[in-house]
Amino acid sequence: VNTVPTTPPGARVLAFVRRLFGLGRARELDARFDSESSFHVDMATERNIRLGMTPDDARRAAMLDFAGHGGREEWREQARDEVRSRVAEEFAQDVRYAIRGMRRAPGFSAAAVATLALTVGATSSIFSVVNAALLEQLPYPQPDRIVAVCEKNVTQPARELCGVGGFSVANYVIWRDEATSFDAFAAFVERRVAIIAPGADPVSAQARITSASLFTVLGTHPHLGRFFTVAEDRPGGPNEIVLGYAFWQQYFGGDPAAVGRRVSVNANDYTIVGVTPIAPLEAGVSAPSPFSSPG
Amino acid sequence: MLDMLVLKALQLGPMHGWGITERLEQGSRNSLRVGQGSLYPALYRLEERGLISSSWGASDNNRRARYYALTAAGRARLAEERQAWRRLSRAVELILAME
């Protein structure tokens, strides 16, 4: 049977919420029950007196009648169960009503569900992009002052590609020496390398071959040892390597004595000079660069 | 069935629980007695379903009493139940009168 709802939806929602947090209501019901039942017993007593009982007998009979019907506790439980089952029943009713509505208008329902799915999906994916690009900061001091520069070929405007890493070493040197708007310039390339520590198996690692100034640009300090110096950052400079923190933990067991040891990087001898702080670079190893070391 | 009788009793006007039992007893010429154990749960149930509403008021002897009143939904329900009851009782009568 479909009954016409007479209460406005807002009031029903409010009533539902009130019932969900129904403690105050239970106390209210108790008080109401006490008041109602004592009134009822009093009235029954008066009637018994009218029927010719002595006041004492009349009251006792009324109370007995009352107790004969389960008494206060049972009554109250029944009333409460009524309230509780009503909540569950109403919820089930709402669900059934929603399903009936969806069945009656499957096209509309599908459109509504699709719209919801698309908007929720779009919103969350846009948020994750915005979060990573705009809200989440780089894990370095003054992250808002770190920028990536790139080159774009103006003779080929169709090629919009402008990513990190697309420039010549000569241009880097000019930018570094001539651009006055920047505190520091750094350049790096990434490459997979084979690293062999003495007495250990070869390890394939993602290396960042970098100018010494990278650490200046990022504004980080080494966890152990030191980073590369500008003096070393020249052709023919020493072969030096800085371990990433995670790489150091994994392959050197976090041993501070790793600094100063020699490892083989792509079959060339390198000295470990330092370890990066916990998460400054995702790559495992940094090494002086094509800009500084030959080959 | 008690629900229907309570709704009918309240159709005559708002009343407290005691008064409802009296109305039902008088209406049935004392052949029906409604125990409190079933009356009050029924009242609470009907109120939860929005068929009746309740509020505090003063009784004839000037005591505080909870008065129950029929709502529009309750009135509609009473009409429905009344029809259903007529159909049922007629059907039962017909069966009992079979020869």
Side-chain angles (χ1 to χ4, degrees):
Chain A
V1 182
N2 241 332
T3 51
V4 185
T6 48
T7 32
R12 289 188 65 187
V13 170
L14 206 70
F16 181 74
V17 170
R18 231 186 278 134
R19 248 169 303 170
L20 275 183
F21 305 99
L23 281 175
R25 196 186 151 78
R27 218 169 296 132
E28 183 192 307
L29 267 182
D30 276 1
R32 174 172 155 188
F33 175 86
D34 288 342
S35 175
E36 273 194 293
S37 54
S38 75
F39 175 72
H40 195 105
V41 168
D42 289 351
M43 296 305 283
T45 306
E46 280 173 30
R47 182 171 73 166
N48 289 345
I49 292 171
R50 275 203 307 277
L51 293 177
M53 288 190 194
T54 67
D56 278 358
D57 285 350
R59 181 143 203 97
R60 199 170 306 123
M63 299 280 276
L64 272 177
D65 188 28
F66 197 102
H69 287 99
R72 176 191 152 128
E73 286 309 314
E74 194 173 309
W75 253 22
R76 200 158 51 181
E77 267 316 298
Q78 279 190 28
R80 283 215 194 119
D81 285 352
E82 198 54 55
V83 173
R84 272 191 224 112
S85 66
R86 200 57 209 143
V87 173
E89 199 178 300
E90 223 162 64
F91 180 71
Q93 226 171 44
D94 288 347
V95 170
R96 277 198 299 273
Y97 180 68
I99 291 173
R100 270 207 305 278
M102 285 169 83
R103 248 195 230 146
R104 207 176 306 131
F108 178 78
S109 304
V113 168
T115 308
L116 275 174
L118 282 175
T119 44
V120 169
T123 308
S124 63
S125 58
I126 286 174
F127 175 75
S128 36
V129 170
V130 167
N131 185 41
L134 300 178
L135 303 178
E136 192 100 334
Q137 298 202 312
L138 292 168
Y140 309 114
Q142 295 185 292
D144 53 318
R145 299 191 57 203
I146 300 174
V147 295
V149 291
C150 64
E151 283 182 342
K152 200 166 123 182
N153 189 341
V154 292
T155 64
Q156 285 176 293
R159 292 186 63 183
E160 287 290 329
L161 280 179
C162 175
V164 177
F167 55 83
S168 70
V169 173
N171 283 350
Y172 162 67
V173 170
I174 292 169
W175 286 345
R176 184 190 64 189
D177 295 342
E178 310 286 332
T180 54
S181 307
F182 299 96
D183 288 336
F185 254 99
F188 59 83
V189 293
E190 288 180 347
R191 194 162 293 171
R192 285 209 83 79
V193 295
I195 296 180
I196 307 173
D201 290 332
V203 174
S204 168
Q206 181 74 14
R208 182 167 288 150
I209 299 157
T210 172
S211 63
S213 52
L214 179 63
F215 300 104
T216 313
V217 168
L218 299 182
T220 57
H221 300 284
H223 177 71
L224 271 182
R226 60 176 177 83
F227 292 147
F228 312 125
T229 65
V230 179
E232 292 164 346
D233 198 358
R234 56 180 169 75
N239 282 348
E240 290 176 338
I241 182 169
V242 172
L243 300 182
Y245 185 90
F247 185 89
W248 172 64
Q249 287 289 331
Q250 189 175 353
Y251 294 104
F252 291 86
D255 182 6
V259 174
R261 280 168 69 178
R262 300 182 71 78
V263 292
S264 153
V265 178
N266 282 356
N268 294 312
D269 259 4
Y270 277 73
T271 305
I272 300 171
V273 295
V275 175
T276 67
I278 287 177
L281 300 164
E282 60 283 1
V285 179
S286 300
S289 48
F291 324 121
S292 59
S293 33
Chain B
M1 190 177 80
L2 177 61
D3 287 5
M4 177 174 72
L5 296 181
V6 168
L7 291 176
K8 174 64 200 176
L10 288 174
Q11 197 187 30
L12 308 176
M15 188 39 76
H16 44 72
W18 172 256
I20 292 170
T21 60
E22 283 198 315
R23 276 184 187 170
L24 293 179
E25 282 177 37
Q26 285 159 14
S28 67
R29 291 184 199 135
N30 291 323
S31 49
L32 267 185
R33 266 204 86 187
V34 181
Q36 307 97 304
S38 30
L39 174 70
Y40 285 92
L43 286 173
Y44 289 14
R45 178 170 62 236
L46 291 169
E47 187 176 0
E48 281 297 324
R49 293 181 184 171
L51 300 176
I52 60 178
S53 61
S54 73
S55 59
W56 292 111
S59 70
D60 292 340
N61 56 0
N62 224 5
R63 286 201 40 186
R64 201 167 96 106
R66 191 81 180 173
Y67 275 82
Y68 296 88
L70 211 55
T71 64
R75 205 158 289 135
R77 171 64 62 89
L78 176 60
E80 272 172 34
E81 298 222 349
R82 191 177 199 149
Q83 258 188 344
W85 174 255
R86 281 207 179 119
R87 271 199 303 273
L88 178 66
S89 60
R90 200 176 304 136
V92 171
E93 274 305 323
L94 286 172
I95 290 168
L96 293 178
M98 272 193 312
E99 295 193 4

